[in-house]
Amino acid sequence: MAATAGAATIPLLTPYKMGQFNLSHRMVLPPLTRNRSYNNIPQPHAILYYSQRATNGGLLIAEATGVSDTAQGYPDTPGIWTKKQVEAWKPIVDAVHEKGGIFFCQIWHVGRVSTFGFQPNGEAPISCTSKGVTPGLDGVDWSPPRPLRTEEIPLVVNDFRLAARNAIEAGFDGVEIHGANGYLIDQFMKDQVNDRTDQYGGSLENRCRFALEIVEAVANEIGAERVGMRLSPYASYMETGDSNPEALGPYMAKALNKFKLLYLHVIEPRMIKINDKYETVHSLLQMRSAFEGTFISAGGYNRDEGNKAVAESNTDLVAFGRLFLANPDLPKRFGLNAPLNKYNRSTFYIPDPVVGYTDYPFLEVPA
Ligand SMILES: Cc1cc2nc3c(=O)[nH]c(=O)nc-3n(C[C@H](O)[C@H](O)[C@H](O)COP(=O)(O)O)c2cc1C
């Protein structure tokens, strides 16, 4: 599909060079967990799902993908720590590349957002703390975590490094380190959760140490020009908030410059909760100006707001989550200013290989 055909004038559909990658437009598919990778193995139906959303020169980021057997907290999310998982990703990545897409893998550890049932031998989920997510939040009986011992932390860093190596082996163009949305890395960064007294807790610098050790290990393994990071300093998903996001966000943005990271992907402060927009006085401009690589903004964007953000240079790229989920041909629709399919929240997380996944209609039936 030629996303920009006949409609190259809107800012979202202008080309952009992200490091070595020549993007033909600015609209990104952000990671969207789909709970359809049975037993943590990516499935053949994901070939259709991702290739439906691939465009020539478009950036796609795969759904959050576990780095180890302790990384899961939801049913049937994919992994990338075994040979079998790596092999299963290959045809999916190939299909995206066949359409000219650029495909990154979001590498993920849920930390305390888990239950005994998801953990090897029914053990406690790992975190920076023993404070659990309140059981019953979002209808799940979250299990109390155990804090990682200081000497165990390098092992988890190493899991991210190996996952990144595996992602490249699977054919991905790079990885996005998931430091957002209340999962393990975010748990370490945020002072509402991190109550450690070792060098990974206390000061802002200490709380960000784990995140930056992962960044360093992954960048050394596959090259910083293939590494992005996702952050949500303003969000408090899964009871993971920070008392001073205005300090945390720019601190991380500047720290990432030292590694010459390819991109920083940040969730807008208005997305305090995962799905709803709130009024806020905060913006990402400080982080945007602090970071020297490519900046991706996400959270609650529509066509007009995305165009405005790019036109005003408040961001380089814009991610559209729910709109891309429901509109596989979203760049084409934006180019034509065509009507959009509505997303159906009730089918976001069902295990069906088709429904709510690959059955959203295209604007025209492809020939
Ligand atoms: C079904 C669904 C699954 C999601 N899964 C992930 C995920 O795996 N990793 C992640 O960082 N964010 C995830 N998110 C957040 C989205 O990437 C995005 O930030 C969010 O939907 C807000 O953007 P939007 O308003 O354009 O939808 C998910 C959101 C939805 C709706």
Side-chain angles (χ1 to χ4, degrees), residues 121-174:
N121 310 314
E123 286 165 17
I126 58 171
S127 184
C128 56
T129 179
S130 60
K131 284 187 287 183
V133 177
T134 305
L137 185 74
D138 288 348
V140 178
D141 193 17
W142 308 108
S143 303
R146 90 175 165 82
L148 284 162
R149 295 189 304 278
T150 308
E151 65 274 17
E152 289 178 293
I153 290 177
L155 304 175
V156 183
V157 173
N158 197 46
D159 287 336
F160 275 89
R161 182 181 69 79
L162 293 175
R165 179 200 282 185
N166 286 344
I168 298 302
E169 158 71 23
F172 282 104
D173 297 290

Side-chain angles (χ1 to χ4, degrees), residues 191-353:
D191 63 5
Q192 185 188 354
V193 180
N194 187 333
D195 55 0
R196 300 181 74 86
T197 53
D198 63 3
Q199 67 269 37
Y200 294 94
S203 65
L204 179 57
E205 187 186 355
N206 280 358
R207 284 183 277 119
C208 294
R209 188 180 309 282
F210 176 62
L212 294 172
E213 285 181 358
I214 291 172
V215 169
E216 183 171 27
V218 168
N220 284 343
E221 184 66 35
I222 65 169
E225 71 282 2
R226 294 186 178 281
V227 182
M229 182 162 211
R230 193 170 217 210
L231 297 173
S232 58
Y234 292 89
S236 54
Y237 312 134
M238 293 298 160
E239 301 172 326
T240 302
D242 195 79
S243 61
N244 192 358
E246 298 281 292
L248 173 61
Y251 175 85
M252 280 299 293
K254 282 185 204 135
L256 296 177
N257 289 335
K258 284 184 235 144
F259 302 101
K260 300 210 175 320
L261 228 65
L262 178 67
Y263 73 73
L264 176 54
H265 183 182
V266 191
I267 294 167
E268 287 282 351
R270 62 189 173 203
M271 306 303 281
I272 305 170
K273 299 248 175 71
I274 207 138
N275 287 320
D276 303 308
K277 273 200 230 184
Y278 291 80
E279 288 291 321
T280 177
V281 296
H282 299 294
S283 84
L284 298 180
L285 292 180
Q286 250 190 303
M287 289 180 79
R288 157 70 163 164
S289 55
F291 187 63
E292 290 162 7
T294 295
F295 200 81
I296 310 177
S297 295
Y301 278 95
N302 59 25
R303 182 177 185 270
D304 287 346
E305 286 174 309
N307 279 327
K308 188 165 180 283
V310 172
E312 293 177 357
S313 200
N314 291 343
T315 194
D316 298 309
L317 308 175
V318 181
F320 297 91
R322 289 160 293 174
L323 296 187
F324 229 138
L325 186 156
N327 295 274
D329 51 359
L330 191 64
K332 180 177 184 177
R333 288 179 192 243
F334 274 14
L336 299 171
N337 204 8
L340 303 182
N341 300 324
K342 289 204 168 34
Y343 55 81
N344 180 357
R345 198 178 292 237
S346 70
T347 56
F348 282 176
Y349 303 112
I350 64 171
D352 196 278

Side-chain angles (χ1 to χ4, degrees), residues 5 32 85 98-99 108 174 352 358:
L32 296 166
Q85 291 161 345
E98 230 154 79
K99 294 190 91 178
W108 182 44
D352 196 278
T358 52

